Amino acid sequence: MTLDLAVIGGTGLYQFPGLEDVERRTLDTPYGAPSGAVVLGRFRGRRLAFLARHGEDHTLAPHRVNYRANLWALHRLGARRVLGVNAVGGIRADMKPRALAVPDQIIDYTHGRISSYSDMEGVKVEHIDFSEPYGAALRADVLAAARRAGVAVVDGGCYGATQGPRLETRAEIARLRRDGCDLVGMTGMPEAALARELGIDYACLALVANWAAGCGDQAEISLEEIFANLAAATAEVPKIIAALLGD
């Protein structure tokens, strides 16, 4: 059966509910080990692959994720569409906790991460066009699926990708706001760029876990609130996926 979609789960999404006929595939890649086994199964009659970005026990910090191995493994298994689910902080007023968004731009503030498949001895250097970092076709499909599923989703926005694993300072968020960022997260890059190098139609479904530092009306960021907000937002993801796969 053709692989219809691959989902990379972020913080709070370590297993995909509702998968049937599950098979776990552990792949060796030219870039080392992925974050864990790729879980293959059927969801509403369609073939789906799922990979927990941080590992199923959340043991990998954002800067320690082997993004190259993850994308290569999914591509090797036949994924041509990949939806990255990312926990983020909200900067713009409508990116409030528990909101879901499908960003259309990204600014990369990370450092020291291996960000290209060209970063190997003897490999031809590829200069990808990254003007539009997310695939237009999959973005449109995700937005349409959310509408069909009755899930409110913000269309567009700029994702600021920071190094982590610490949360940002107020001054850093103020800078991101001046730069035009609407969301802040730690895993958006280099995942999006690597997907583009492999020719994968890639989109991000961002789940707002908290207001970023200095935004909203909260004085302090509570981890308990973050996980409660993530749980509420994550519960909407299978509805969107079901509609995306034609339920």
Side-chain angles (χ1 to χ4, degrees):
M1 185 182 292
T2 303
L3 183 57
D4 294 290
L5 181 72
V7 176
I8 301 177
T11 299
L13 184 60
Y14 308 114
Q15 286 144 4
F16 196 88
L19 273 183
E20 300 175 340
D21 300 330
V22 169
E23 174 192 359
R24 297 173 62 86
R25 295 283 298 275
T26 302
L27 279 76
D28 293 324
T29 86
Y31 312 99
S35 295
V38 178
V39 181
L40 297 166
R42 288 189 304 164
F43 182 67
R44 308 295 176 88
R46 304 288 291 276
R47 192 72 170 162
L48 180 73
F50 177 79
L51 177 62
R53 183 186 291 112
H54 298 281
E56 293 178 355
D57 297 317
H58 199 103
T59 54
L60 296 170
H63 64 292
R64 302 290 294 176
V65 172
N66 191 338
Y67 297 93
R68 289 196 302 177
N70 287 351
L71 270 299
W72 190 92
L74 294 174
H75 188 260
R76 177 71 179 80
L77 290 171
R80 298 298 177 263
R81 298 194 302 166
V82 174
L83 181 63
V85 180
N86 301 76
V88 300
I91 298 175
R92 204 170 76 191
D94 58 341
M95 304 292 193
K96 60 185 182 298
R98 305 194 179 196
L100 284 74
V102 183
D104 58 357
Q105 279 296 324
I106 194 163
I107 299 177
D108 187 5
Y109 300 92
T110 66
H111 52 84
R113 303 183 184 188
I114 301 176
S115 58
S116 173
Y117 289 103
S118 297
D119 192 9
M120 289 186 75
E121 189 77 25
V123 173
K124 180 182 176 182
V125 176
E126 299 287 349
H127 299 281
I128 57 169
D129 179 2
F130 207 51
S131 306
E132 303 296 331
Y134 300 109
L138 185 55
R139 278 197 75 255
D141 288 346
V142 172
L143 291 167
R147 287 192 294 270
R148 291 195 300 273
V151 178
V153 170
V154 180
D155 179 2
C158 182
Y159 180 129
T162 59
Q163 183 70 358
R166 67 168 177 83
L167 300 178
E168 301 74 26
T169 68
R170 289 174 180 264
E172 287 168 333
I173 294 300
R175 174 198 176 193
L176 266 63
R177 189 196 296 274
R178 291 193 298 271
D179 285 350
C181 295
D182 305 299
L183 301 161
V184 58
M186 303 172 189
T187 55
M189 285 291 286
E191 192 169 278
L194 292 167
R196 179 63 52 84
E197 287 190 5
L198 290 174
I200 292 172
D201 190 2
Y202 175 90
C204 167
L205 179 59
L207 314 182
V208 183
N210 57 280
W211 285 115
C215 301
D217 55 3
Q218 64 183 18
E220 185 176 335
I221 298 174
S222 160
L223 288 179
E224 290 77 10
E225 288 182 11
I226 285 176
F227 289 116
N229 292 334
L230 273 180
T234 299
E236 303 296 321
V237 174
K239 302 175 189 176
I240 295 174
I241 301 297
L244 181 61
L245 294 176
D247 186 29

